[in-house]
């Protein structure tokens, strides 16, 4: 029985490795053009806010 357990450990590890490799190699999900463009616009807006300007923007509503 002990020999069977020693054989099962590498077989189980091989099956787990095979499942992980199949999961890791799956193709990436495609994003729609609208989502991609919206993300790009948010990125550009964040870059404009973070680039150095000596002026502090006025707060609206306070």
């Amino acid at each position: 029985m002990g020999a069977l357990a020693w054989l099962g450990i590498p077989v189980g590890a091989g099956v787990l490795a095979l499942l992980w490799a199949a999961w890791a190699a799956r193709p990436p999900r495609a994003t729609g053009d609208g989502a991609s463009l919206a993300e790009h616009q948010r990125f550009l807006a964040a870059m404009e806010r973070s680039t150095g300007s000596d002026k502090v923007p006025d707060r609206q509503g306070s």
Side-chain angles (χ1 to χ4, degrees):
M1 188 68 183
L4 192 58
W6 279 105
L7 180 61
I9 292 171
V11 169
V15 168
L16 287 175
L18 180 67
L19 291 173
W20 177 82
W23 178 77
R26 71 191 189 285
R29 291 188 300 169
T31 59
D33 290 334
S36 179
L37 290 173
E39 288 178 21
H40 183 65
Q41 291 296 328
R42 285 194 302 271
F43 170 75
L44 290 177
M47 290 303 291
E48 287 177 3
R49 285 192 306 267
S50 68
T51 54
S53 150
D54 292 337
K55 293 172 47 178
V56 176
D58 293 335
R59 290 185 145 183
Q60 293 179 358
S62 49

